[in-house]
Structure formats: C-alpha cells, structure tokens
Amino acid sequence: QVQLVESGGGLVQAGGSLRLSCAASGITFRTHHMGWYRQAPGEQRELVALITRYGATTYADSVKGRFSISRDNARQTVYLQMNGLKPEDTAVYYCNANSGYRDFWGQGTQVTVSS
C-alpha cells in the first residue's frame, strides 16, 4: 500500500519559515519524481516545486529564491524548505510521487501565513 505522509505545516507570520516533510512508503522512492503542490481555497491545485529522480529541480515563479526542494532517498523523504513566507503562500500543500505512468498523492498539510 502506497502512503505519502506530509508533516511540518502550521501557522506562521509573514517572513517566517517552515519545513515540510513527506515520508513515502510502498514505492521504490528513488525511481519516482517527487513534487510539492498547493491548493488555496477556490483555486486550482498548482505545482510549487519538483525534484526528479535524477535530482533536477523546478520551481514555480512565485516561489523561486524562497523555497527549496530536496530529497533523501535513503529515508524515502522529500522536503520543502519555505523561507520568506507570504500570506499568498497560504494553502494546503500536497506531496506527489510520479513514476512516469502512475501518480500518488498525500493527504495534504495546511500552511497558513498571517500578515
């Protein structure tokens, strides 16, 4: 059974930092591209950051220079370091694992940034 379990969300003031973690089980982690997505109320889910199985990274323009994605294949965990948080970063953040032909999602973790 595949499980992606996110943690690290919470309430933070603008300018603060949070580190999200996503622990994966039931998949061969090193063969999956891992991503963080977010969905704000009334909005569509959007890609925040992606790290391929080769370690290449991609970021949404809105978070470039503030967020950093990394992975630890030994721990089967992907991280999202979020610095300089803004109120517009408020959303539910979801972890995604993609093998190229299958997608898996976590349950999401709430991030709320107060102004």
Side-chain angles (χ1 to χ4, degrees):
Q1 181 183 359
V2 177
Q3 280 194 309
L4 301 176
V5 180
E6 300 102 333
S7 61
L11 174 63
V12 64
Q13 287 189 331
S17 298
L18 285 174
R19 188 194 195 203
L20 305 184
S21 300
C22 171
S25 59
I27 60 172
T28 305
F29 184 81
R30 68 181 185 278
T31 67
H32 284 67
H33 307 307
M34 300 299 297
W36 286 97
Y37 290 72
R38 67 187 180 188
Q39 187 167 17
E43 302 289 334
Q44 289 193 333
R45 192 172 296 190
E46 64 175 358
L47 174 68
V48 176
L50 176 73
I51 184 165
T52 73
R53 55 184 168 226
Y54 310 110
T57 57
T58 302
Y59 297 93
D61 287 344
S62 59
V63 306
K64 281 180 182 176
R66 300 188 297 124
F67 291 10
S68 177
I69 189 171
S70 61
R71 64 189 295 161
D72 184 334
N73 288 343
R75 298 182 190 275
Q76 301 219 144
T77 301
V78 62
Y79 304 96
L80 184 69
Q81 178 67 43
M82 305 186 294
N83 299 325
L85 283 160
K86 304 175 181 180
E88 51 263 44
D89 295 318
T90 295
V92 177
Y93 283 70
Y94 296 91
C95 177
N96 172 268
N98 181 278
S99 67
Y101 52 90
R102 285 198 70 180
D103 257 331
F104 302 100
W105 292 93
Q107 81 288 350
T109 186
Q110 177 70 45
V111 171
T112 303
V113 185
S114 63
S115 57

